[in-house]
Amino acid sequence: MQVHTLDKAGIINELNIGSGICHAVHQGRRADFSLLVALFSNDVRDNTPVELIEQPQTTDELLRERFELAAPQSLRNDQSSYAVSARQAELFHHGGLASAKLCHYLTPEVLTYLPEDTQDLPEDVYLNLSGHERRHLAVKSPPKTLPYDLYNKLTTAYRHDQLRAQT
């Protein structure tokens, strides 16, 4: 079963559903209406433009470069950390504890191994999030303004609803 099937649907408001919600109200289908409303996003930032405030960047990497410090020990794993761990285990078996320590001091091993593609959350917490929240976690940089073709989308949705009403 795919976990991200509802994430790709992208149901934000009634424009994405069409006239289905209107028909459910007029025909008195409460279950259909409540299902469609439950699929809407509960985040106001999906419908409201949010502008970011520009701040000067002072990152850890810039400070390390300025003061000529070595790279820190990684906190969590990536694909290269498995090779480092395998190398240290091999050196421990062939050269003993002193060899493994020397390898660790030259290229430190990561502190923890966490599951991948869960946006730094434990798997059980990530899988309990709603589709909209997972979609927001996956987006690295939020959109700065409204889409340039918003008016065209609104008129197209309106025309599609008019055509559905005539048929």
Side-chain angles (χ1 to χ4, degrees):
M1 179 179 146
Q2 291 289 336
V3 177
H4 302 291
T5 40
L6 281 179
D7 300 346
K8 294 178 182 170
I11 299 173
I12 304 298
N13 53 25
E14 60 273 3
L15 289 176
N16 303 109
I17 292 177
S19 61
I21 196 165
C22 189
H23 291 300
V25 169
H26 287 295
Q27 295 173 1
R29 296 179 295 173
R30 292 178 180 219
D32 292 343
F33 176 76
S34 60
L35 174 67
L36 293 173
V37 170
L39 289 174
F40 291 165
S41 174
N42 59 352
D43 193 358
V44 72
R45 293 174 294 180
D46 285 336
N47 296 324
T48 306
V50 178
E51 294 189 20
L52 299 177
I53 298 172
E54 302 274 337
Q55 294 181 356
Q57 290 187 357
T58 305
T59 63
D60 190 37
E61 294 173 5
L62 291 174
L63 292 175
R64 284 187 176 279
E65 189 176 305
R66 180 177 174 193
F67 295 112
E68 298 177 2
L69 298 174
Q73 183 177 9
S74 298
L75 298 178
R76 64 169 299 170
N77 62 318
D78 60 355
Q79 291 299 322
S80 66
S81 61
Y82 295 108
V84 171
S85 297
R87 179 74 178 141
Q88 286 183 5
E90 179 187 347
L91 288 174
F92 174 75
H93 287 295
H94 293 298
L97 187 59
S99 178
K101 279 187 174 181
L102 178 63
C103 181
H104 174 71
Y105 293 141
L106 292 174
T107 56
E109 188 179 13
V110 297
L111 291 177
T112 183
Y113 289 88
L114 297 174
E116 296 179 1
D117 297 330
T118 59
Q119 311 300 328
D120 296 333
L121 295 171
E123 268 186 310
D124 53 346
V125 173
Y126 181 75
L127 293 176
N128 280 330
L129 295 175
S130 73
H132 296 292
E133 292 165 342
R134 276 189 249 123
R135 183 173 42 87
H136 280 295
L137 287 174
V139 173
K140 299 298 179 195
S141 61
K144 293 185 179 181
T145 59
L146 286 174
Y148 66 93
D149 59 344
L150 177 66
Y151 181 74
N152 291 336
K153 286 182 181 179
L154 290 173
T155 54
T156 304
Y158 178 70
R159 295 296 182 196
H160 282 287
D161 283 341
Q162 282 182 337
L163 290 174
R164 284 186 206 127
Q166 290 177 357
T167 57

